[in-house]
Amino acid sequence: ALVLVLTGCQQAAEEAAEQALENADPGVGDVEIDEDGVTVEGDDGSVSIQEGDELPEGWPSEVELPDGATLTNSMVVDQGGQGGWMVTATYDQAPSDVADAFASSLSGAGFTEETTVTSGDQSLLGFSNDQYQVAVTVGAEGDGSAVSVTVSEK
């Protein structure tokens, strides 16, 4: 019986949060919160955010993450049919090694390096091809690295 009560409370809390978000902005059409994450659909498109260790739906196969990634979050944006994706991950390697691995992987997949900025343990990499723009940020986290990869359609 306790499990049913807790499940009912969780569902009620999710529904209340969904309603509050929908009422906060008239442009937000529908908010869905479930065990997979949050999806917000509006007049101009949708955003889905999820925790977990999987690449988001539709992630371009050309953008491979170097070995060793532990995915933590992902996001999919569809704005008027133009897609975008973002993942965050951690690595056990040093930031400079992770940045080098990303640069090598993207160059090997036919992307052109647009920019690289490095300051201390922080790096920002920008790459593109005919279809996508990719931004990779790498920074120190503990004994390893934290990474954010954003891919957007041109």
Side-chain angles (χ1 to χ4, degrees), residues 114-153:
E114 302 290 335
T115 187
T116 298
V117 178
T118 301
S119 177
D121 285 337
Q122 305 291 320
S123 293
L124 171 63
L125 312 173
F127 284 79
S128 68
N129 67 8
D130 292 340
Q131 194 171 4
Y132 301 107
Q133 293 179 315
V134 181
V136 180
T137 58
V138 182
E141 182 173 286
D143 291 335
S145 302
V147 176
S148 173
V149 182
T150 304
V151 180
S152 45
E153 291 181 321

Side-chain angles (χ1 to χ4, degrees), residues 4-150:
L4 291 176
V5 169
L6 291 176
T7 301
C9 289
Q10 181 179 1
Q11 288 173 342
E14 287 175 359
E15 289 174 15
E18 290 172 7
Q19 191 64 44
L21 289 169
E22 289 170 4
N23 290 339
D25 184 348
V28 174
D30 185 40
V31 177
E32 189 66 38
I33 301 172
D34 59 27
E35 66 276 351
D36 294 327
V38 177
T39 300
V40 179
E41 294 186 19
D43 297 337
D44 296 332
S46 65
V47 175
S48 296
I49 303 168
Q50 59 192 22
E51 287 185 304
D53 58 0
E54 295 182 18
L55 291 171
E57 185 176 325
W59 181 268
S61 60
E62 299 92 333
V63 182
E64 292 187 24
L65 301 184
D67 290 340
T70 301
L71 295 177
T72 55
N73 294 294
S74 66
M75 180 170 58
V76 177
V77 177
D78 178 5
Q79 192 167 22
Q82 187 171 11
W85 305 264
M86 192 270 301
V87 296
T88 58
T90 59
Y91 283 83
D92 290 333
Q93 295 92 2
S96 61
D97 294 338
V98 174
D100 289 346
F102 269 99
S104 177
S105 175
L106 289 165
S107 293
F111 284 83
T112 301
E113 182 177 343
E114 302 290 335
T115 187
T116 298
V117 178
T118 301
S119 177
D121 285 337
Q122 305 291 320
S123 293
L124 171 63
L125 312 173
F127 284 79
S128 68
N129 67 8
D130 292 340
Q131 194 171 4
Y132 301 107
Q133 293 179 315
V134 181
V136 180
T137 58
V138 182
E141 182 173 286
D143 291 335
S145 302
V147 176
S148 173
V149 182
T150 304

